[in-house]
């Protein structure tokens, strides 16, 4: 072995290599090392040659020792070493065995990766910083877009501010979301905002209303089908919405309407990110985020056996409850004015609300929520005979005139509740007719059909004779 290291050509070649080379015997004692290895150890070769791998590791010269690892595993190994100068090296140890399979030599080869690690760390930090900047830019852009186009995203009520804060936090994650709330509160708008503020914003946003599609068709709409899967199927097959939403977001509206047998299939997809198309024999995979929404009490449906509990808990990871309009009283005026401006532009009008109208509309409970508010404003812009929308333009149920205390004494004693209610109904009809003059307008303001109004007139006879 000594003759090998005395060979000037051999040692010159190894010393010309910029990577560290160390050669040890079958017991792990260092026989020779090149100049690069001496430099990385930062101690003279005389303090290394003749020492065992175990001793050098204990002294902190090579941590961990690749030579020692080769002896333990009796095979080639690779590891990352750290020196006392806190430099990092990727080191491989290679055993050289004799014909009997016994290790005679161990060659360790080390390459300095300190700068590469530092650069990679800086790159990761830069990427993380860019990610945060990108998210902030997306939020600013989407905030501006939504203020201009979506009536939900405006207001100062605590209920509104709370939901917006929650949406912005949830958007930056990639977890399943369950949105609940009354009909018409804007659950679809919320889901779209989550998608637009997420890292998936440049990928597809696919939407399906589980209650609007017949049970016989919804499976094929969601999961797709293969060629010839059933009679009447498209000859080329069909990619379902899950496939179409790959890398993006799938919004399942009215999830409470999904049939039980499909709930199991959806659960399997959420858990494993794979599904089987109708008529298919091979599973397909997709990477997407699921957002579900419902106006039902899913927990109650679980208790009634109408919704799978395991699917409920899979969906309910990040629940969001969207507040109703009556919980956002402070925002109603802003919502009204926003929609008034929108429909004035659409119908080329210059309408404005009178103070009395605004007062009444703010006091109204809006059972249909934002959808009802939006539709009602458009109706008022269309039917208003003047530029100022007046109290008489409002539907009867929105005309909240000053209330007076109910006086039971004004009705004859001994009358039954049915008789009193009929008297009140007759008085309401007569007062409404006196104000609106025609049976058509009266019926419209009372929220009933004209034929029903006339039946009531005939029922009450002489008390309503002046209505024709």
């Amino acid at each position: 072995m000594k003759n090998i290291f005395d060979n000037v050509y051999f040692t010159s070649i190894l010393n010309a290599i910029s990577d560290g080379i160390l050669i040890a015997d079958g017991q792990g004692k260092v026989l020779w090392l090149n100049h690069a290895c001496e430099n990385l150890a930062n101690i003279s070769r005389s303090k290394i040659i003749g020492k065992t791998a175990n001793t050098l590791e204990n002294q902190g010269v090579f941590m961990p020792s690749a030579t020692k690892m080769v002896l333990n595993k009796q095979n080639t190994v690779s590891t990352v070493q750290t020196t006392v100068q806190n430099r990092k090296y990727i080191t491989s140890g290679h055993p050289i065995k004799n014909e009997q399979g016994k290790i005679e030599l161990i060659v360790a080869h080390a390459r300095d990766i300190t700068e590469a690690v530092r650069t990679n760390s800086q790159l990761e930090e830069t990427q993380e910083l860019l990610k945060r900047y990108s998210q902030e830019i997306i939020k600013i852009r989407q905030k501006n877009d939504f203020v201009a186009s979506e009536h939900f995203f405006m207001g100062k009520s605590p209920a509104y501010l709370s939901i917006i804060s929650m949406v912005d936090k949830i958007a930056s994650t990639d977890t399943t979301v369950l949105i609940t709330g009354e009909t018409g509160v804007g659950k679809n708008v919320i889901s779209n905002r989550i998608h637009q503020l997420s890292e998936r914003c440049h990928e597809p946003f696919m939407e399906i209303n589980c209650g609007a599609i017949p049970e016989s068709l919804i499976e094929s709409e969601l999961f797709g089908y293969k060629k010839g899967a059933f009679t009447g199927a498209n000859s080329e097959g069909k990619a379902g919405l899950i496939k179409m939403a790959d890398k993006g977001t799938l919004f399942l509206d009215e999830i409470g309407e999904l049939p039980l047998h499909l709930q199991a299939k959806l659960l399997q997809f959420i858990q494993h990110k794979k599904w089987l198309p109708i008529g298919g024999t091979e599973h397909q995979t997709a990477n997407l985020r699921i957002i579900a929404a419902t106006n039902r009490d899913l927990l109650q449906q679980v208790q009634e056996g109408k919704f799978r509990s395991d699917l409920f808990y899979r969906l309910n990871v990040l629940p969001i409850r969207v507040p109703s309009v009556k919980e956002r009283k402070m925002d109603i005026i802003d919502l009204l004015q926003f929609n008034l401006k929108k429909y004035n532009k659409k119908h080329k009008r210059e309408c404005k609300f009178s103070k009395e109208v605004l007062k009444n509309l703010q006091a109204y409970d809006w059972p249909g929520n934002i959808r009802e508010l939006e539709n009602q404003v458009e109706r008022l812009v269309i039917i208003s005979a003047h530029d100022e929308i007046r109290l008489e333009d409002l539907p009867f149920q929105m005309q909240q005139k000053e209330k007076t205390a109910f006086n039971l004494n004004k009705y004859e004693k001994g009358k039954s509740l049915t008789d009193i209610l009929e008297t009140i109904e007759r008085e309401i009809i007569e007062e409404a007719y006196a104000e609106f003059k025609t049976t058509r307008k009266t019926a419209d303001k009372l929220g009933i059909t004209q034929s029903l109004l006339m039946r009531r007139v005939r029922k009450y006879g002489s008390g309503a004779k002046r209505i024709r």
Side-chain angles (χ1 to χ4, degrees):
M1 199 69 66
K2 182 178 179 181
N3 293 336
I4 297 175
F5 299 123
D6 285 342
N7 187 307
V8 73
Y9 292 104
F10 174 74
T11 56
S12 294
I13 291 171
L14 294 182
N15 280 322
I17 298 174
S18 59
D19 294 341
I21 302 292
L22 181 146
I23 301 175
D25 64 17
Q27 285 71 47
K29 185 171 69 174
V30 177
L31 301 174
W32 186 88
L33 68 157
N34 69 353
H35 294 324
C37 188
E38 183 180 10
N39 291 334
L40 73 87
N42 201 34
I43 59 175
S44 66
R45 61 193 300 110
S46 62
K47 294 182 179 180
I48 298 177
I49 293 176
K51 299 282 183 69
T52 65
N54 191 56
T55 300
L56 292 171
E57 185 179 63
N58 291 336
Q59 291 176 351
V61 179
F62 303 117
M63 299 183 297
S65 170
T67 301
K68 181 180 175 180
M69 293 171 68
V70 170
L71 289 172
N72 290 336
K73 294 190 176 182
Q74 295 289 299
N75 209 339
T76 299
V77 298
S78 291
T79 185
V80 175
Q81 291 180 332
T82 303
T83 68
V84 290
Q85 290 80 32
N86 203 32
R87 296 192 70 81
K88 294 186 182 297
Y89 294 82
I90 182 164
T91 304
S92 297
H94 306 275
I96 298 176
K97 300 179 180 181
N98 59 23
E99 292 180 356
Q100 289 73 39
K102 184 179 179 180
I103 296 177
E104 288 192 350
L105 293 175
I106 300 171
V107 179
H109 167 236
R111 174 166 294 177
D112 193 340
I113 58 170
T114 306
E115 295 305 319
V117 170
R118 184 179 294 120
T119 301
N120 187 61
S121 178
Q122 291 172 344
L123 179 60
E124 288 178 354
E125 291 176 4
T126 302
Q127 288 175 333
E128 182 61 30
L129 190 61
L130 286 172
K131 179 181 176 181
R132 292 205 305 269
Y133 285 160
S134 296
Q135 288 175 342
E136 291 303 318
I137 290 169
I138 289 171
K139 285 182 181 180
I140 292 170
R141 176 171 58 82
Q142 294 301 330
K143 180 179 179 181
N144 292 336
D145 290 346
F146 276 107
V147 165
S149 62
E150 296 294 351
H151 50 266
F152 182 90
F153 294 96
M154 58 176 61
K156 50 188 177 290
S157 66
Y160 166 79
L161 296 176
S162 175
I163 193 70
I164 291 305
S165 174
M166 177 69 75
V167 166
D168 290 348
K169 289 176 183 176
I170 284 176
S172 62
T173 72
D174 205 34
T175 309
T176 303
V177 180
L178 178 62
I179 305 173
T180 59
E182 298 176 7
T183 298
V185 293
K187 296 187 289 292
N188 59 331
V189 179
I190 290 286
S191 67
N192 200 278
R193 181 181 177 94
I194 292 173
H195 172 74
Q196 293 298 333
L197 293 180
S198 74
E199 293 183 5
R200 299 178 182 268
C201 62
H202 300 299
E203 302 297 339
F205 177 83
M206 306 305 296
E207 178 179 353
I208 183 171
N209 188 318
C210 301
I213 299 175
E215 185 174 331
S216 58
L217 297 179
I218 192 167
E219 182 175 9
S220 63
E221 289 295 318
L222 266 179
F223 300 99
Y225 56 81
K226 290 296 183 181
K227 177 181 178 180
F230 51 86
T231 304
N234 188 302
S235 59
E236 301 300 320
K238 179 178 181 178
L241 289 175
I242 288 179
K243 184 69 174 178
M244 295 166 68
D246 190 20
K247 298 180 182 177
T249 303
L250 176 63
F251 175 48
L252 301 171
D253 199 7
E254 301 303 340
I255 188 69
E257 304 283 349
L258 192 67
L260 274 169
H261 73 282
L262 291 185
Q263 292 178 24
K265 193 167 183 176
L266 177 62
L267 176 65
Q268 183 185 34
F269 170 72
I270 294 174
Q271 290 176 326
H272 306 295
K273 298 298 181 185
K274 63 181 182 180
W275 80 99
L276 196 65
I278 299 173
T281 56
E282 295 183 0
H283 282 90
Q284 296 187 6
T285 61
N287 174 18
L288 56 85
R289 183 183 199 175
I290 286 184
I291 301 177
T294 182
N295 60 359
R296 295 189 172 194
D297 185 341
L298 286 188
L299 198 53
Q300 182 179 342
Q301 284 194 259
V302 168
Q303 294 168 354
E304 295 173 353
K306 297 177 181 177
F307 201 85
R308 292 180 63 105
S309 60
D310 45 8
L311 178 58
F312 170 73
Y313 291 113
R314 278 284 180 178
L315 295 173
N316 200 44
V317 180
L318 290 176
I320 300 179
R321 179 186 168 275
V322 185
S324 61
V325 171
K326 65 183 176 184
E327 295 174 84
R328 300 176 56 190
K329 288 288 187 181
M330 292 173 62
D331 303 332
I332 289 177
I333 299 299
D334 290 337
L335 293 169
L336 289 168
Q337 296 292 5
F338 173 85
N339 282 285
L340 181 67
K341 182 178 179 180
K342 180 171 71 173
Y343 291 116
N344 270 338
K345 182 178 180 180
K346 177 180 178 180
H347 298 290
K348 297 180 174 56
R349 296 290 308 269
E350 295 183 0
C351 295
K352 60 182 181 180
F353 296 114
S354 68
K355 290 182 179 180
E356 294 80 6
V357 166
L358 282 176
K359 181 179 178 182
N360 280 32
L361 292 179
Q362 188 172 29
Y364 182 61
D365 279 343
W366 298 103
N369 293 294
I370 288 179
R371 188 180 298 140
E372 180 188 8
L373 185 147
E374 184 179 34
N375 293 342
Q376 193 56 243
V377 173
E378 182 172 21
R379 172 186 172 276
L380 292 170
V381 168
I382 293 172
I383 70 166
S384 176
H386 311 89
D387 284 342
E388 183 180 67
I389 297 173
R390 302 173 182 176
L391 206 58
E392 57 265 25
D393 295 321
L394 298 181
F396 184 76
Q397 69 272 18
M398 293 183 180
Q399 296 184 24
Q400 306 247 348
K401 297 181 179 178
E402 188 175 351
K403 296 180 180 179
T404 56
F406 179 72
N407 183 10
L408 184 61
N409 294 327
K410 65 180 284 191
Y411 302 101
E412 294 181 24
K413 290 184 179 180
K415 276 194 172 184
S416 66
L417 178 61
T418 301
D419 292 335
I420 293 174
L421 290 176
E422 288 184 350
T423 302
I424 293 172
E425 184 178 42
R426 185 187 65 201
E427 291 174 352
I428 290 173
I429 291 173
E430 289 178 349
E431 288 179 10
Y433 181 78
E435 183 174 354
F436 302 116
K437 311 304 180 186
T438 69
T439 56
R440 184 185 62 78
K441 286 185 177 180
T442 300
D444 182 53
K445 299 299 180 180
L446 292 176
I448 61 177
T449 63
Q450 190 175 16
S451 59
L452 176 58
L453 174 66
M454 295 312 298
R455 286 199 296 273
R456 289 291 187 270
V457 170
R458 288 191 292 271
K459 175 181 177 181
Y460 298 132
S462 60
K465 278 183 179 178
R466 62 176 179 275
I467 301 176
R468 291 291 183 267

